[in-house]
Amino acid sequence: MALILLVEDDLLNREMIYRYLQIQGFDAITALDGAQAVALARRHMPDLILMDMGLPILSGWQATERLKAMPDTCAIPIIALTAYAMAEDRERAFAVGCDEFETKPVNFQRLKVKIDALLAKKEKRMA
């Protein structure tokens, strides 16, 4: 069962996405800010990270850059989850190292397709 780190500071969004991940059969852990996300990613080495970009302490942009710069976490796929829906935001997310981009409110069917594709791609690399 894949472990997903969900990084989301909004309680309602966090609970809704967390429940969805559990229903889909994933193990999930949560972080409330970017600094906690970096620490938890290094400690637990999740299979995938769902990263809100508008976070306190350390933004999702900054946390992603840090995770992608570290040898132990650089291969963890990261999906940006954000209300920032402009083309520039998508480009910025990819520029800092995100592997995928999903706008809020979250389309869960589309998110599941992206999660499955990134996990399959990661599995292939490790095989």
Side-chain angles (χ1 to χ4, degrees), residues 2-4 6 17 20-21 24 26 47-50 77-79 81 100 102 106-122:
L3 175 63
I4 295 179
L6 168 61
I17 297 167
Y20 175 79
L21 294 172
Q24 294 303 313
F26 297 112
D47 297 295
L48 185 134
I49 299 171
L50 297 176
I78 299 176
I79 299 176
L81 291 180
E100 256 304 346
E102 183 63 37
V106 175
N107 175 319
F108 286 106
Q109 287 181 317
R110 191 171 54 220
L111 179 62
K112 178 74 163 67
V113 168
K114 291 175 182 182
I115 290 171
D116 289 344
L118 286 172
L119 290 175
K121 186 177 175 182
K122 183 180 179 192

Side-chain angles (χ1 to χ4, degrees), residues 55-77:
L55 296 168
I57 302 175
L58 194 64
S59 74
W61 313 103
Q62 294 165 317
T64 297
E65 281 183 316
R66 290 187 187 184
L67 289 166
K68 291 299 185 170
M70 290 186 257
D72 56 336
T73 56
C74 66
I76 300 171

Side-chain angles (χ1 to χ4, degrees), residues 24-46:
Q24 294 303 313
F26 297 112
D27 284 330
I29 55 176
T30 60
L32 308 179
D33 61 61
Q36 189 179 38
V38 172
L40 288 175
R42 295 189 78 198
R43 184 177 319 129
H44 295 281
M45 296 302 294

